[in-house]
């Protein structure tokens, strides 16, 4: 048995060329159907149009201008040393990372 883990859209085409049986599993090891890796993007949808529509949905440029602080929280794992991670950036460009 060979177990390959990765982004299906990047590895499946090459594996299919080998003509070997392929089985797909979710992150818990449950069997799943072959994932759909390519979907059509509707005409006219661009990164710019998505961002513009998001800004409009949250109240426009006026709402964006009221943002004073951006905060992100996550975690990182260094072998044998799990660590929480937070990042705060204020409008005055003074950032803090802990």
């Amino acid at each position: 048995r060979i177990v390959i883990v990765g982004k299906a859209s990047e590895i499946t085409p090459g594996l299919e060329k080998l003509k070997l049986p392929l089985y797909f599993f979710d992150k818990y090891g449950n069997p799943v159907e072959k994932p759909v890796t390519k979907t059509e993007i509707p005409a006219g949808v661009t990164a710019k149009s998505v961002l513009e529509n998001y800004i409009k949905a949250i109240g426009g440029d006026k709402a964006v201008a009221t943002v004073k602080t951006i905060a992100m929280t996550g975690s990182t794992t260094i072998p044998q040393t799990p660590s929480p991670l937070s990042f705060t950036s204020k409008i005055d460009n003074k950032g803090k990372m802990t």
Side-chain angles (χ1 to χ4, degrees), residues 1-5 15 18 20-25 29 31:
R1 298 194 187 265
I2 300 172
V3 177
I4 300 173
V5 178
L15 293 171
L18 298 174
L20 296 170
L22 296 176
Y23 303 95
F24 298 89
F25 300 89

Short mmCIF file of all heavy atoms in Angstrom, two decimals, residues 1-5 15 18 20-25 29 31:
data_model
loop_
_atom_site.label_atom_id
_atom_site.label_comp_id
_atom_site.label_asym_id
_atom_site.label_seq_id
_atom_site.Cartn_x
_atom_site.Cartn_y
_atom_site.Cartn_z
N ARG A 1 0.84 -1.18 0.00
CA ARG A 1 0.00 0.00 0.00
C ARG A 1 0.88 1.23 0.00
O ARG A 1 1.92 1.27 0.65
CB ARG A 1 -0.90 0.02 1.22
CG ARG A 1 -1.84 -1.16 1.27
CD ARG A 1 -2.93 -0.93 2.29
NE ARG A 1 -3.71 -2.14 2.43
CZ ARG A 1 -4.84 -2.35 1.78
NH1 ARG A 1 -5.30 -1.46 0.96
NH2 ARG A 1 -5.49 -3.46 1.95
N ILE A 2 0.42 2.22 -0.70
CA ILE A 2 1.10 3.51 -0.74
C ILE A 2 0.09 4.56 -0.30
O ILE A 2 -1.01 4.63 -0.84
CB ILE A 2 1.62 3.83 -2.16
CG1 ILE A 2 2.60 2.76 -2.62
CG2 ILE A 2 2.25 5.22 -2.19
CD1 ILE A 2 3.00 2.88 -4.06
N VAL A 3 0.45 5.37 0.65
CA VAL A 3 -0.42 6.45 1.12
C VAL A 3 0.19 7.76 0.66
O VAL A 3 1.36 8.03 0.92
CB VAL A 3 -0.55 6.43 2.66
CG1 VAL A 3 -1.39 7.61 3.13
CG2 VAL A 3 -1.13 5.11 3.13
N ILE A 4 -0.60 8.54 -0.04
CA ILE A 4 -0.15 9.84 -0.53
C ILE A 4 -1.10 10.89 0.02
O ILE A 4 -2.31 10.78 -0.12
CB ILE A 4 -0.12 9.88 -2.07
CG1 ILE A 4 0.83 8.80 -2.59
CG2 ILE A 4 0.29 11.27 -2.56
CD1 ILE A 4 0.82 8.63 -4.07
N VAL A 5 -0.54 11.91 0.63
CA VAL A 5 -1.33 12.97 1.22
C VAL A 5 -0.96 14.27 0.52
O VAL A 5 0.22 14.55 0.30
CB VAL A 5 -1.04 13.10 2.73
CG1 VAL A 5 -1.82 14.24 3.35
CG2 VAL A 5 -1.35 11.78 3.44
N LEU A 15 -1.27 10.86 -10.61
CA LEU A 15 -1.54 9.51 -10.13
C LEU A 15 -2.47 8.76 -11.09
O LEU A 15 -2.30 7.56 -11.31
CB LEU A 15 -2.15 9.55 -8.73
CG LEU A 15 -1.23 10.05 -7.62
CD1 LEU A 15 -2.00 10.24 -6.33
CD2 LEU A 15 -0.08 9.08 -7.42
N LEU A 18 -0.90 6.81 -13.90
CA LEU A 18 -0.27 5.54 -13.57
C LEU A 18 -1.20 4.34 -13.77
O LEU A 18 -0.75 3.20 -13.74
CB LEU A 18 0.23 5.56 -12.12
CG LEU A 18 1.29 6.61 -11.78
CD1 LEU A 18 1.57 6.62 -10.28
CD2 LEU A 18 2.56 6.36 -12.58
N LEU A 20 -3.31 3.01 -11.77
CA LEU A 20 -3.43 2.18 -10.58
C LEU A 20 -4.76 2.50 -9.90
O LEU A 20 -5.29 3.60 -10.05
CB LEU A 20 -2.29 2.48 -9.60
CG LEU A 20 -0.88 2.17 -10.08
CD1 LEU A 20 0.15 2.74 -9.11
CD2 LEU A 20 -0.69 0.68 -10.24
N PRO A 21 -5.31 1.57 -9.13
CA PRO A 21 -6.55 1.89 -8.41
C PRO A 21 -6.29 2.99 -7.37
O PRO A 21 -5.30 2.93 -6.64
CB PRO A 21 -6.95 0.58 -7.74
CG PRO A 21 -5.86 -0.40 -7.99
CD PRO A 21 -4.87 0.21 -8.92
N LEU A 22 -7.17 3.97 -7.34
CA LEU A 22 -7.04 5.08 -6.38
C LEU A 22 -8.25 5.08 -5.45
O LEU A 22 -9.38 4.91 -5.90
CB LEU A 22 -6.97 6.42 -7.10
CG LEU A 22 -5.78 6.68 -8.01
CD1 LEU A 22 -5.93 8.03 -8.71
CD2 LEU A 22 -4.49 6.64 -7.24
N TYR A 23 -8.00 5.30 -4.18
CA TYR A 23 -9.06 5.41 -3.19
C TYR A 23 -8.86 6.71 -2.44
O TYR A 23 -7.73 7.10 -2.14
CB TYR A 23 -9.00 4.23 -2.21
CG TYR A 23 -9.10 2.89 -2.91
CD1 TYR A 23 -7.95 2.19 -3.24
CD2 TYR A 23 -10.34 2.37 -3.26
CE1 TYR A 23 -8.03 0.98 -3.91
CE2 TYR A 23 -10.42 1.15 -3.93
CZ TYR A 23 -9.26 0.46 -4.24
OH TYR A 23 -9.33 -0.73 -4.90
N PHE A 24 -9.94 7.39 -2.13
CA PHE A 24 -9.87 8.69 -1.48
C PHE A 24 -10.49 8.60 -0.10
O PHE A 24 -11.48 7.90 0.11
CB PHE A 24 -10.59 9.75 -2.32
CG PHE A 24 -9.96 9.94 -3.68
CD1 PHE A 24 -10.37 9.18 -4.77
CD2 PHE A 24 -8.95 10.86 -3.86
CE1 PHE A 24 -9.78 9.34 -6.01
CE2 PHE A 24 -8.35 11.03 -5.10
CZ PHE A 24 -8.77 10.27 -6.16
N PHE A 25 -9.90 9.32 0.85
CA PHE A 25 -10.36 9.31 2.23
C PHE A 25 -10.37 10.73 2.77
O PHE A 25 -9.57 11.57 2.36
CB PHE A 25 -9.42 8.45 3.10
CG PHE A 25 -9.34 7.03 2.63
CD1 PHE A 25 -8.41 6.64 1.68
CD2 PHE A 25 -10.22 6.08 3.13
CE1 PHE A 25 -8.34 5.33 1.24
CE2 PHE A 25 -10.16 4.77 2.69
CZ PHE A 25 -9.22 4.39 1.75
N GLY A 29 -9.99 9.41 7.80
CA GLY A 29 -9.79 8.07 7.27
C GLY A 29 -11.05 7.42 6.73
O GLY A 29 -11.04 6.24 6.40
N PRO A 31 -13.75 6.59 3.87
CA PRO A 31 -13.76 6.59 2.40
C PRO A 31 -14.70 7.67 1.85
O PRO A 31 -15.77 7.89 2.40
CB PRO A 31 -14.28 5.20 2.03
CG PRO A 31 -14.14 4.38 3.27
CD PRO A 31 -14.21 5.32 4.42
#
